[in-house]
Amino acid sequence: MPKNKSHSGAGKRFRVTGSGKILREKAGKRHNLEKKASKVTRRMTGTTEVAANDVPRAKKLLGR
């Protein structure tokens, strides 16, 4: 069986924690920030865990 290549884009977008959880950046903090409320932009900072339904696909893309 040949090895699977990991998806280079997924490698840039996801991080795997020591316990095996997959983290991602929150969306929506790139542009048009003037019209968004400060409360909204603060909520979009940082990382969050990938949704449970998306974890198998993310793991496959990461080659895990």
Side-chain angles (χ1 to χ4, degrees):
M1 229 16 232
K3 291 182 179 180
N4 287 330
K5 288 193 176 180
S6 58
H7 193 281
S8 61
K12 297 168 193 173
R13 289 182 175 99
F14 300 121
R15 265 191 323 126
V16 182
T17 64
S19 61
K21 294 176 186 171
I22 301 177
L23 300 180
R24 64 167 177 85
E25 291 286 327
K26 291 186 181 175
K29 200 162 185 226
R30 296 287 181 221
H31 62 99
N32 296 343
L33 296 175
E34 288 179 338
K35 59 178 68 175
K36 293 172 187 165
S38 302
K39 190 175 184 180
V40 172
T41 56
R42 277 198 308 274
R43 198 181 303 140
M44 290 186 287
T45 60
T47 58
T48 186
E49 207 174 320
V50 171
N53 286 340
D54 297 329
V55 168
R57 189 182 310 155
K59 281 187 176 177
K60 183 182 176 191
L61 289 172
L62 292 170
R64 293 183 158 261

